[in-house]
Amino acid sequence: MNTYQDLLPVATEAVRRAARAMRQGSPGVLTLKGDRDVASELDFAIERDVRAFLAAETPDIGFLGEEEGDSGRADLRWVLDPIDGTANFLRRLPMCAVSLALVHQNNPVLGVIELPFLSSLYTAVEDCGAHANGQRITVGGVSVLKDAIVAVGDYAVGPDADAKNAMRLALAAQLAARSQRVRMMGSAALDLAWLAEGRLDAAITLSNHLWDMASGVVIAREAGASVVDRHGNAHDSTSQETLAASPLLMPAILHLYQSAAAEVAAAA
C-alpha cells in the first residue's frame, strides 16, 4: 500500500479535473434535494468523473461522494464534495470549492481543496504540514477574541430549521458582541482553508457532513490549528460540530460556544 504522501499527486489531479469542470462548465439541470437545497447537474458529473478516475488510479481505496454515496471499502476511502458551496456557484459567487479527503477509519489523513475561481490550491498530508499553492502555511497568531475574524457555517434549511437555527443565532449574537468581525462564506472547505492560511482566526460549523469537513480538517490541523467538537474533544468523522481555531484562541471559542448553548437551553 502506498503511503499517504504518495497518494497526494493522484488526489491533486482528481481535484484539478473537478476544478477545470467548474470553470469551464455550466450548472445544467438542478435537482431539488430538500427545502432550499439543490444539486446541479455539474455536481453529479464531477462526482462521477472523480469517482471513475480514483477507482482506476487507486482501486483498493473506497469512495464516498456527497451526491451518490458509498462504493468500495469503508475503512479507507476518498471523500468528495464535488462543489462545496453550490448556492454560491449557481450565483457566480467565487466562494466555492472542490474538496477531497482521504479518510482512514474516522481520521482524515490527506486533504486537497481547490478554490477554482480564486486561484488557490490547498494540500495537506498527516504529519507533513499544509501548503497553499506549494508554499507552507500556518494559522495566524491572534489570541484574543476581540481581534479575531470568525467564520460561521450557513444557517440550516429543511426540517427543524427553526430549532437548529436557534443555536446559530445565539452564536452569531455572542460573536457579534465579542469578536472583531463575523463572516459567513457559504463553504466549509473555504473557511477551513482560509483558517489554515491565517486569513481567518476561527471557523465554526454546526451541521457536519463528512464530505464538507474532512479535507479542511486535515489542512487546518497540519497548519497548526486546534480542531475539536463542541465538548473540546479531538474532531473526527463522527463529530456533529466543528470548532477550529489557533490553539491560543480555542479556549475563548469554546467558552463562547458553551455560553451560546446555555442561552439556548435556558430559552427552550
Side-chain angles (χ1 to χ4, degrees):
M1 177 66 192
N2 292 330
T3 66
Y4 301 138
Q5 185 71 40
D6 292 337
L7 293 168
L8 184 58
V10 174
T12 302
E13 177 57 26
V15 168
R16 284 178 168 155
R17 291 166 68 101
R20 283 195 297 270
M22 285 179 66
R23 287 190 294 266
Q24 297 169 6
S26 62
V29 176
L30 302 183
T31 299
L32 185 64
K33 297 165 64 175
D35 175 37
R36 292 168 286 165
D37 186 14
V38 299
S40 72
E41 190 174 355
L42 191 60
D43 283 91
F44 287 95
I46 289 172
E47 183 170 312
R48 288 166 185 164
D49 178 73
V50 171
R51 186 189 297 265
F53 173 77
L54 291 173
E57 295 291 327
T58 58
D60 295 329
I61 299 176
F63 185 93
L64 170 65
E66 177 181 5
E67 308 305 341
E68 296 187 328
D70 272 307
S71 59
R73 62 191 286 190
D75 62 321
L76 182 66
R77 58 185 175 177
W78 299 108
V79 178
L80 176 73
D81 191 336
I83 303 178
D84 184 44
T86 298
N88 286 351
F89 174 69
L90 293 175
R91 294 299 186 94
R92 300 182 182 178
L93 297 172
M95 293 84 74
C96 49
V98 180
S99 178
L100 178 68
L102 182 67
V103 177
H104 178 226
Q105 296 177 346
N106 286 328
N107 184 40
V109 294
L110 178 156
V112 181
I113 293 169
E114 184 162 353
L115 312 180
F117 305 107
L118 296 172
S119 303
S120 298
L121 178 73
Y122 301 87
T123 61
V125 177
E126 187 176 57
D127 298 326
C128 296
H131 298 79
N133 294 334
Q135 300 299 311
R136 187 74 176 258
I137 55 175
T138 59
V139 294
V142 169
S143 60
V144 292
L145 197 55
K146 70 179 179 64
D147 296 330
I149 297 180
V150 182
V152 295
D154 277 342
Y155 290 109
V157 297
D160 300 322
D162 288 347
K164 293 175 181 176
N165 283 331
M167 180 61 187
R168 289 160 172 78
L169 290 164
L171 184 63
Q174 294 271 358
L175 286 167
R178 292 168 176 80
S179 67
Q180 185 184 93
R181 290 292 187 275
V182 184
R183 296 288 181 258
M184 184 179 286
M185 310 295 185
S187 164
L190 180 148
D191 289 349
L192 289 167
W194 280 1
L195 169 67
E197 200 174 13
R199 297 185 180 211
L200 299 170
D201 302 302
I204 303 171
T205 306
L206 299 188
S207 293
N208 284 205
H209 297 290
L210 186 55
W211 49 78
D212 292 323
M213 310 311 302
S215 61
V217 166
V218 67
I219 290 168
R221 276 187 177 148
E222 287 298 314
S226 175
V227 188
V228 301
D229 65 14
R230 62 190 169 98
H231 302 294
N233 299 321
H235 186 282
D236 65 22
S237 63
T238 67
S239 299
Q240 297 301 303
E241 307 85 10
T242 304
L243 283 68
S246 68
L248 293 174
L249 190 60
M250 182 55 77
I253 293 295
L254 268 171
H255 177 76
L256 183 141
Y257 178 94
Q258 290 159 0
S259 177
E263 178 185 327
V264 172

